[in-house]
Amino acid sequence: SMAVSSLALAAETGVLLSCSIDKTVRLWDVGTMQCLETLRHHMGCVYAVAASGLQFYSAGAGDNSVRVWDLSARKPIATLLGHLRAVLC
């Protein structure tokens, strides 16, 4: 619903990840271009997203954190804290 700030392709799974300043990460099916799920676990704008292999991705946000996600479970598995400012890349 708001501006997209980053995209990442998890090519092995056929999922495109988008993140937005509306504090969400969305998972898209590349074949159908349909939104599979909207994840709302960040407390600030999500500025960066990166895919890693078949199972994991990370997202950096304006709440000074990086969350590592399990793509298949659709759940965060770790939160990396300690950044002094928003994580932009």
Side-chain angles (χ1 to χ4, degrees):
S1 63
M2 297 187 87
V4 172
S5 51
S6 184
L7 299 169
L9 179 63
E12 300 89 351
T13 61
V15 173
L16 178 71
L17 304 139
S18 66
C19 63
S20 175
I21 60 173
D22 67 1
K23 305 178 187 178
T24 65
V25 174
R26 287 184 170 84
L27 309 179
W28 301 87
D29 182 302
V30 174
T32 65
M33 298 312 290
Q34 296 295 312
C35 183
L36 300 171
E37 191 158 355
T38 301
L39 306 172
R40 295 178 173 89
H41 290 272
H42 285 277
M43 303 307 288
C45 301
V46 185
Y47 295 111
V49 65
S52 177
L54 292 172
Q55 190 168 359
F56 302 105
Y57 78 91
S58 59
D63 59 5
N64 305 352
S65 73
V66 174
R67 293 192 198 278
V68 179
W69 293 78
D70 181 321
L71 189 57
S72 60
R74 312 280 205 269
K75 294 183 180 179
I77 57 171
T79 301
L80 309 175
L81 302 173
H83 297 87
L84 299 178
R85 293 198 169 90
V87 180
L88 303 177
C89 60

